[in-house]
Amino acid sequence: MSTRNRSSRTEGGDSAVKDGKRRRGNSGPIAFFVSLFIVAVGAIQLVSTFNTYAADLAHLNSLKRQEAALIAQKQELENDISRWDDKNYVAAQARERLGFVFPGETAVRVQNPQSVTGVDTDTTSDDDTGKDSSKQLPWYSELSYAFKKADEPLPQVQTDKQSGATADDAQNQQDSVSGDTSAKDQQ
């Protein structure tokens, strides 16, 4: 009995060992892919963390540069404010900006400073503005002209079916009226 039990046990045990090897052999690729998946997820998390860190660091650096620029601008503005406490600076600004003169001085305003200095003060080209600056009216004349034109009633366009006038003719007539307005603006 003992030999039979041993032989049956070893035969049965061998089959269990063989089945265990098969099971472990079959579970090897599954475990490999599960561990590969875990490593991939970990790598993605790590890359995402470093990306966030780099973005935050760049944002922090830009905020530091912006802070430095604002501090410099604040210092410049404080210097400008402190300059206005000086009476000589205020007098110079009044002379330059407003054309003030001291009693006994004579103010001279040159009409064409480029003829005196030889430097053209008008840096804008005629191509940029589309209009010749010598033909423009002063702003107050343009404003009064605009008020006058706004108060005038628009010419009424009548379409007559018998004469054959159409909406296109009315539009052409309005365009010619607005063309007259733009011609007056240029003068």
Side-chain angles (χ1 to χ4, degrees):
M1 181 174 8
S2 66
T3 52
R4 284 187 192 175
N5 286 341
R6 286 183 188 173
S7 65
S8 67
R9 284 184 188 169
T10 56
E11 292 175 10
D14 290 337
S15 67
V17 171
K18 291 179 182 176
D19 288 340
K21 287 183 180 178
R22 288 182 190 159
R23 286 183 190 160
R24 279 188 244 150
N26 290 339
S27 66
I30 293 172
F32 174 72
F33 285 119
V34 169
S35 63
L36 186 65
F37 177 74
I38 291 171
V39 168
V41 169
I44 290 171
Q45 288 294 329
L46 189 63
V47 168
S48 173
T49 302
F50 282 133
N51 187 21
T52 304
Y53 173 74
D56 288 346
L57 189 61
H59 185 66
L60 179 67
N61 288 336
S62 72
L63 288 176
K64 284 182 180 180
R65 283 191 302 270
Q66 186 178 7
E67 179 187 21
L70 288 174
I71 288 172
Q73 182 181 8
K74 178 185 173 193
Q75 184 63 37
E76 184 180 325
L77 291 173
E78 286 175 350
N79 289 342
D80 287 345
I81 290 171
S82 66
R83 279 189 218 133
W84 285 99
D85 292 334
D86 184 19
K87 291 184 179 184
N88 292 330
Y89 181 77
V90 172
Q93 291 299 314
R95 292 170 75 88
E96 180 183 327
R97 292 182 183 186
L98 304 174
F100 285 6
V101 293
F102 287 115
E105 291 182 340
T106 304
V108 177
R109 184 169 303 255
V110 179
Q111 291 293 329
N112 296 319
Q114 67 270 15
S115 64
V116 176
T117 61
V119 177
D120 188 16
T121 58
D122 186 21
T123 58
T124 59
S125 65
D126 291 337
D127 298 334
D128 293 340
T129 59
K131 294 181 181 178
D132 189 11
S133 61
S134 63
K135 293 183 181 179
Q136 288 182 349
L137 297 174
W139 66 270
Y140 49 85
S141 297
E142 289 181 7
L143 186 64
S144 67
Y145 177 74
F147 283 138
K148 288 176 187 174
K149 286 307 267 183
D151 289 339
E152 292 178 4
L154 290 175
Q156 294 184 1
V157 179
Q158 296 177 357
T159 57
D160 189 10
K161 291 183 181 178
Q162 294 173 350
S163 65
T166 62
D168 292 330
D169 293 338
Q171 182 65 30
N172 290 338
Q173 197 172 22
Q174 283 180 347
D175 289 341
S176 67
V177 169
S178 65
D180 292 342
T181 306
S182 63
K184 288 180 182 178
D185 287 340
Q186 289 178 356
Q187 292 176 353

